[in-house]
Amino acid sequence: MEKDDLKSLVTQMYENLLENIDCQDYADKEHVIAYLRDSIDALSNLKDEQITSIEHAKSAFSNAYKEIASSSISSYKDTNESFKQLSQMHKETLNTCTDDSTIDIPLITKKFNQIQSHMTDEVKKANEIISKLSSQVKQLEKESNLDSLTKTLNRRALGTYLNTICSKKYTPYELHLIMLDIDDFKIINDTYGHVAGDKILIFIANILKKTLRDGDKIFRYGGEEFVLILNRIDSEHCQKILLRILEVLEKNKLFYKGDTINVTVSMGSTILANEDSPDALLSRADKGLYRAKNEGKNTIRMELADGN
């Protein structure tokens, strides 16, 4: 994230913290510490969550961890109240067992055994709360669908999406899958460094977001490869959109440390066929991409299923 994005996100965290404090009947320093600990987890996981903009990042932080942070503050409140009760029990025990002339050892033992039992129960409850919150954080990490660098959907999300699509016996509209690869990416990395490579990936992702339709999907497949899904579109219009991507890339140059880096991409395209598996669909698009690379790069090649 850029510096301004981070400042905006921190402002969101501050507003969330104030909201959580306001909703508590009682709040102290420990409650704030608890919230900040959860916020650290939230920030650590934002790179994996589904974020397409800083506003989305703020929303993801607020929504995904609001309940956890609130639960955590409430649990600290309950723990604090429990130990206040323990302190009161200690005080009552001392008042009961202190006498000018005698000390009732059995009574003291009984009272402190009660306190020990109470403390054991509270520790058990605290551990259960910690375990539950940790599980929630892990589940959020597992369900994360965003690539941390490009803020496009990641390969895990692609697998889930294709499994859903391919599980249907029949799709009443055309679905086009395109595998896109940045040309000569290794040479660019070797020449300008990996920071430049990362900037190119972000540059490509932003152009794709601006060029494709709202309902189209962009996935970072790995390395310098992206997978595009275009729904409800015929081959002619799909081809026009892909050519538009090549055209926009040609007109938009990436400037890095005073140098102009020319970036082109090659694409392999295919159409979902009945009974396709995710692997079959990706394999055909990959064959089209291979042809595009071998036939000069900066171009598009379509690979259809047998019988189409």
Side-chain angles (χ1 to χ4, degrees):
M1 292 183 186
E2 300 295 333
K3 184 183 292 185
D4 289 344
D5 292 340
L6 288 172
K7 289 165 66 177
S8 181
L9 185 57
V10 169
T11 300
Q12 178 71 25
M13 292 171 57
Y14 169 73
E15 292 173 354
N16 283 3
L17 176 57
L18 292 182
E19 180 182 344
N20 274 286
I21 291 174
D22 286 341
C23 75
Q24 302 298 317
D25 295 330
Y26 170 79
D28 61 12
K29 181 179 70 175
E30 295 303 320
H31 301 159
V32 176
I33 292 171
Y35 175 83
L36 293 176
R37 285 171 178 162
D38 288 324
S39 296
I40 291 172
D41 290 333
L43 284 173
S44 299
N45 293 327
L46 277 183
K47 62 183 180 181
D48 293 329
E49 295 186 8
Q50 188 170 349
I51 305 162
T52 55
S53 65
I54 184 56
E55 291 304 319
H56 195 169
K58 288 158 62 176
S59 176
F61 173 86
S62 178
N63 294 334
Y65 285 87
K66 192 171 183 179
E67 183 176 350
I68 290 178
S70 179
S71 297
S72 182
I73 288 180
S74 296
S75 71
Y76 272 86
K77 174 187 174 183
D78 292 342
T79 301
N80 189 57
E81 290 298 324
S82 295
F83 278 97
K84 281 184 178 179
Q85 293 176 18
L86 290 175
S87 177
Q88 183 63 30
M89 289 175 68
H90 274 284
K91 184 177 179 180
E92 291 174 359
T93 299
L94 290 174
N95 289 337
T96 301
C97 299
T98 300
D99 188 271
D100 291 339
S101 58
T102 62
I103 296 178
D104 190 337
I105 298 300
L107 180 58
I108 292 177
T109 302
K110 179 181 177 181
K111 290 288 185 179
F112 276 95
N113 282 342
Q114 291 175 351
I115 293 171
Q116 180 63 39
S117 177
H118 195 151
M119 290 182 67
T120 300
D121 289 343
E122 290 304 317
V123 170
K124 182 179 178 181
K125 290 177 184 177
N127 286 335
E128 288 173 352
I129 291 171
I130 291 170
S131 177
K132 181 179 178 181
L133 293 175
S134 297
S135 296
Q136 288 178 314
V137 169
K138 289 179 181 178
Q139 184 64 24
L140 287 169
E141 290 176 346
K142 184 178 179 181
E143 294 174 355
S144 168
N145 288 322
L146 269 200
D147 173 63
S148 59
L149 178 65
T150 63
K151 304 303 182 287
T152 59
L153 297 168
N154 60 21
R155 189 164 181 163
R156 181 190 297 115
L158 174 64
T160 300
Y161 184 81
L162 291 182
N163 284 333
T164 301
I165 292 297
C166 292
S167 66
K168 299 177 181 179
K169 296 298 182 183
Y170 173 71
T171 303
Y173 53 83
E174 284 191 20
L175 181 147
H176 293 250
L177 184 145
I178 299 94
M179 190 165 287
L180 179 152
D181 185 270
I182 301 172
D183 296 328
D184 303 315
F185 189 71
K186 185 178 185 306
I187 294 174
I188 295 173
N189 261 341
D190 291 344
T191 303
Y192 297 99
H194 289 284
V195 173
D198 286 348
K199 290 186 178 295
I200 288 172
L201 289 167
I202 296 170
F203 172 71
I204 294 291
N206 288 338
I207 283 180
L208 292 175
K209 292 171 188 176
K210 292 176 182 178
T211 307
L212 297 180
R213 304 167 304 169
D214 288 343
D216 298 331
K217 297 186 180 297
I218 308 166
F219 302 86
R220 172 111 181 263
Y221 190 62
E224 67 272 26
E225 287 187 321
F226 293 85
V227 168
L228 316 178
I229 303 286
L230 279 63
N231 279 303
R232 305 178 187 276
I233 188 171
D234 59 33
S235 297
E236 180 181 353
H237 285 91
C238 179
Q239 187 76 359
K240 287 181 179 179
I241 291 175
L242 300 186
L243 288 172
R244 175 65 177 158
I245 291 172
L246 297 183
E247 180 185 342
V248 172
L249 277 173
E250 185 177 356
K251 292 180 179 179
N252 290 270
K253 308 298 181 182
L254 179 67
F255 295 95
Y256 180 70
K257 292 186 176 181
D259 290 332
T260 302
I261 305 176
N262 295 318
V263 182
T264 64
V265 300
S266 298
M267 289 181 270
S269 176
T270 192
I271 303 174
L272 175 68
N274 290 334
E275 307 301 328
D276 255 342
S277 67
D279 287 344
L281 193 59
L282 289 167
S283 178
R284 284 203 308 277
D286 192 50
K287 287 180 181 177
L289 176 61
Y290 181 80
R291 284 172 49 211
K293 289 287 188 182
N294 284 333
E295 294 173 17
K297 303 177 182 177
N298 192 29
T299 189
I300 308 153
R301 291 292 180 266
M302 178 174 279
E303 189 78 17
L304 296 176
D306 293 341
N308 284 12

